[in-house]
Amino acid sequence: MEACGLVVEYNPFHYGHQYHLKQARKETDADCMIAVMSGNFLQRGEPAILDKYHRAKAAILGGVDLVVELPYAYAVQNSDHFARGAIETLFHSGVSAVCFGSESGNIAAFTDAYQLQKEHLYAYEANLKRYLNQGFSYPDAATKAYRHISGLSEILDVSQPNNILGLGYVRAIKDAHYPIRPVTIQRIENNYHDTAITGKIASATSIRKEVLTNTSTSASAADSMPDETLQILTSYKQKAGHWHDWELYFPFLKYRVQTMNAAELEQIEGVIEGLEHRIKRTAAEASTFQDWMHALKTKRYTWTRLQRIFVHILTNTKKEEQILGHDTGYVRVLGMNKTGQTYLNQQKKQADLPFITKINQISHPFLQIEERAAKAYYSVLAADKQRNFFLQEMTSPIIVK
Amino acid sequence: MEACGLVVEYNPFHYGHQYHLKQARKETDADCMIAVMSGNFLQRGEPAILDKYHRAKAAILGGVDLVVELPYAYAVQNSDHFARGAIETLFHSGVSAVCFGSESGNIAAFTDAYQLQKEHLYAYEANLKRYLNQGFSYPDAATKAYRHISGLSEILDVSQPNNILGLGYVRAIKDAHYPIRPVTIQRIENNYHDTAITGKIASATSIRKEVLTNTSTSASAADSMPDETLQILTSYKQKAGHWHDWELYFPFLKYRVQTMNAAELEQIEGVIEGLEHRIKRTAAEASTFQDWMHALKTKRYTWTRLQRIFVHILTNTKKEEQILGHDTGYVRVLGMNKTGQTYLNQQKKQADLPFITKINQISHPFLQIEERAAKAYYSVLAADKQRNFFLQEMTSPIIVK
């Protein structure tokens, strides 16, 4: 069996993902579609609306065959590390192709950009450093440095976050010489609504309205959710009492920062350049999470970078854990269907790393982080619910017949 | 002016305190009654129902002239350290007498017991150690060790918590050779209700009913609160939105424990003998604070000792801060009336330590702890209220005209 990998967060699963899946299956002729998915905290430094198990289930119902977890150590990081961790996880899952969305749908733009960067690596890095020193954020500095080396004939618009990620996947594959074919599919945003879909949507209007009112989901995103996703959203809220967003965590985050001294805060992953003082100073005045972010934000520190730091504070993730300094030691399966099961059974015989499901199945520094992250994620639920939700980490993966 | 000191928590102020004050004034003929009062967290390891400023105000309205703060470092400790810190603070406040309540009202019982313990110190400590090794809690082991040396002629019932505290005050005065006269007044529990008081009580029945329903205050305690205390209780709840109790802090405490590893937990003040593992193990199952305490409680670890550890976890107070290893560097005034002001102005000229009011007035390790403790205490309030309540720490003391 051949497998194709996708890198996703599924927060939550929508028709765009379904379209992407179908196209990827067609392009790669793969038997098994594997999604490597962020856990409870996302790359933008946000809690996912639903926990990873419910998002995995929605993805499988939407057409994914196997969902594996992108470890927190890679998921809550800048796009370079995120991309590298995702590709490594997919490689160890045995994929022969990786498919990602892009504006152009032209893979040559990515492979050429990769070659260009590689050939001018010295100039690129010198310029990157220069722009960083001038106070630009990492994404802005990287875009400017890239434009410098590409001159007038810009082959890839790296100011687009999705293009940065795509280039990251290509780089991770090529740098490691993985036998994986990178594939890109042109993204469609609002043009995939055929009448069949519109018909389906109508049947779930009330749920969609609730999703819109209670989450930061945009109208077009809510419109594009399959009934299965909407049902999972609703049942999660019934079971958990909440959809998760930063404001729910704000009291915990503020309490935590206000009972740490600056030296302790400085030990947290991502807290550099005296940011600990700025975070402490702004904490007392903040009445909401949004308030606090606006008080913290500067040109140098992007919104997402600051949010990732807040996730690390919330989960007590420290520099001394060297979260990027460990080898991937396992592939963790969150859920699958029958195809995924067949693929997994075949793959287990030839895989170089163990496939695990339970958090306590083996011992690995990443799994200690997953445990803390899961406990922090469920902290906002009623005490008696926390335990049941956490138990998912210790039991079998989601299996969709 | 002569001053008499009292050691109190005033959680909240009641007629028993008022009676005690009057008797102490009579016995010592003092011009100024000084109360050294625990801050937001009490010796039993509990958040006070009201913050220290509101409790100080109630105390002054009830007859205290000057309220000074017992630093957290002493307040949230066993009775020996609590008593020592309280007496030190009162000594630096310039008192010539200290008055405490007891069952017998006989000071000789305390001074004799002190002499007896001192004379048989070696035997006492050997026995104490033996009983501790047998798994008895500190209070139980101390009682048994004391009975050993006192033989049949027991002169003080040290199984009574109030007697242990009284003996602690006497010991702290005598060991340090402070020129302070210890005085004890017989406690009255339910026999101080004269008709005048009963008349007053009737006027505040509805508030009292609310206090009873919403706090762990007993009926007799609520009956015994002056109108001023009841009004302060009510206005605090209106302003803050809550009266404070452990269950309010439970989500924060549980979140905190579940995102710490055992090694970090072991660094917290009071966490010894592998208790970190027991605390972590019991955290996941606990649905309420009471649940958790019942799961943790053993013969060796008293309820109050475990609660104090929970306060240290909540306030992130660590062993490395050596909270008992610092000299008292200041006396902090929380509130006063005109008499207290006159006394303070006189005392300032001859005092060996500065009298301070604001948390940022001088730099001292104790004040860093007070800041964290105040922020942790107010964490359960709405975010916009936290800031206003904390501002009290930075402003002038309560002055009652």
Side-chain angles (χ1 to χ4, degrees), chain A residues 26-295:
Chain A
K26 209 188 290 175
E27 287 278 336
T28 61
D29 209 22
D31 311 295
C32 178
M33 299 305 293
I34 305 181
V36 59
M37 192 184 82
S38 296
N40 293 330
F41 294 97
L42 308 180
Q43 199 257 334
R44 283 179 52 81
E46 287 169 348
I49 296 179
L50 307 180
D51 76 9
K52 52 191 170 192
Y53 298 100
H54 289 80
R55 282 154 49 236
K57 188 176 179 188
I60 298 163
L61 290 171
V64 174
D65 298 308
L66 179 63
V67 181
V68 298
E69 181 171 39
L70 179 61
Y72 175 100
Y74 296 116
V76 187
Q77 286 289 343
N78 66 38
S79 54
D80 277 359
H81 294 308
F82 177 91
R84 187 164 64 80
I87 294 299
E88 261 185 51
T89 307
L90 288 174
F91 167 71
H92 293 296
S93 307
V95 301
S96 53
V98 163
C99 189
F100 57 91
S102 64
E103 306 308 320
S104 68
N106 173 16
I107 195 68
F110 291 90
T111 50
D112 288 356
Y114 169 74
Q115 281 304 329
L116 184 74
Q117 265 195 358
K118 204 178 165 190
E119 278 157 27
H120 300 278
L121 192 62
Y122 181 79
Y124 173 78
E125 289 192 340
N127 279 302
L128 179 65
K129 203 172 163 184
R130 183 161 64 89
Y131 289 118
L132 285 173
N133 286 340
Q134 285 174 21
F136 288 99
S137 70
Y138 187 88
D140 287 351
T143 303
K144 282 177 180 288
Y146 175 79
R147 284 193 180 141
H148 233 270
I149 57 166
S150 64
L152 290 173
S153 61
E154 190 173 306
I155 45 179
L156 185 71
D157 178 4
V158 291
S159 68
Q160 292 281 334
N162 280 309
N163 285 346
I164 292 182
L165 274 171
L167 184 56
Y169 303 140
V170 170
R171 190 186 302 118
I173 291 169
K174 302 260 179 206
D175 281 354
H177 305 290
Y178 286 142
I180 294 175
R181 181 164 70 99
V183 177
T184 187
I185 287 167
Q186 191 170 17
R187 289 166 62 91
I188 42 143
E189 284 302 345
N190 294 307
N191 55 347
Y192 52 83
H193 279 168
D194 60 30
T195 43
I197 287 173
T198 313
K200 267 191 168 180
I201 290 169
S203 67
T205 307
S206 63
I207 305 174
R208 192 166 296 105
K209 207 168 164 186
E210 199 193 346
V211 173
L212 271 175
T213 315
N214 291 283
T215 71
S216 54
T217 307
S218 70
S220 67
D223 272 353
S224 73
M225 285 174 197
D227 284 3
E228 291 82 359
T229 297
L230 289 166
Q231 276 156 19
I232 287 170
L233 271 165
T234 317
S235 89
Y236 188 86
K237 196 172 185 183
Q238 277 165 359
K239 282 189 287 179
H242 292 289
W243 288 318
H244 300 250
D245 68 37
W246 254 128
E247 296 300 347
L248 271 183
Y249 293 89
F250 172 65
F252 294 88
L253 185 69
K254 183 169 170 173
Y255 152 73
R256 181 73 185 113
V257 166
Q258 296 217 103
T259 53
M260 292 168 102
N261 62 35
E264 286 175 294
L265 198 47
E266 201 268 334
Q267 290 171 24
I268 296 292
E269 173 76 11
V271 178
I272 55 166
E273 300 170 353
L275 213 47
E276 64 275 18
H277 303 292
R278 208 175 151 75
I279 293 172
K280 275 199 74 72
R281 205 166 51 237
T282 48
E285 302 292 317
S287 290
T288 65
F289 182 78
Q290 291 294 312
D291 265 11
W292 199 355
M293 285 296 297
H294 282 292

Side-chain angles (χ1 to χ4, degrees), chain B residues 1-2 5 7 13 22 61 68 82 87 113 203 226 241 279 294 352 355 378:
Chain B
M1 281 174 93
E2 292 285 306
V7 187
F13 189 88
K22 275 183 206 157
L61 290 171
V68 297
F82 177 90
I87 294 299
S203 68
I279 293 172
H294 282 293
D352 56 343
F355 285 90
Y378 295 126

Side-chain angles (χ1 to χ4, degrees), chain B residues 340-396:
Chain B
Q341 268 181 308
T342 310
Y343 175 81
L344 198 61
N345 288 334
Q346 166 201 300
Q347 198 59 26
K348 273 178 180 169
K349 293 170 196 153
Q350 62 195 69
D352 56 343
L353 293 182
F355 285 90
I356 67 162
T357 54
K358 298 165 192 166
I359 205 168
N360 53 353
Q361 202 165 330
I362 60 167
S363 174
H364 191 282
F366 283 178
L367 293 170
Q368 290 172 18
I369 302 175
E370 300 305 340
E371 182 178 342
R372 285 204 316 269
K375 294 212 162 143
Y377 184 77
Y378 295 126
S379 284
V380 294
L381 307 187
D384 54 332
K385 294 184 174 165
Q386 289 177 29
R387 187 174 160 272
N388 289 337
F389 276 87
F390 182 76
L391 273 180
Q392 300 172 108
E393 299 275 346
M394 320 270 251
T395 49
S396 303

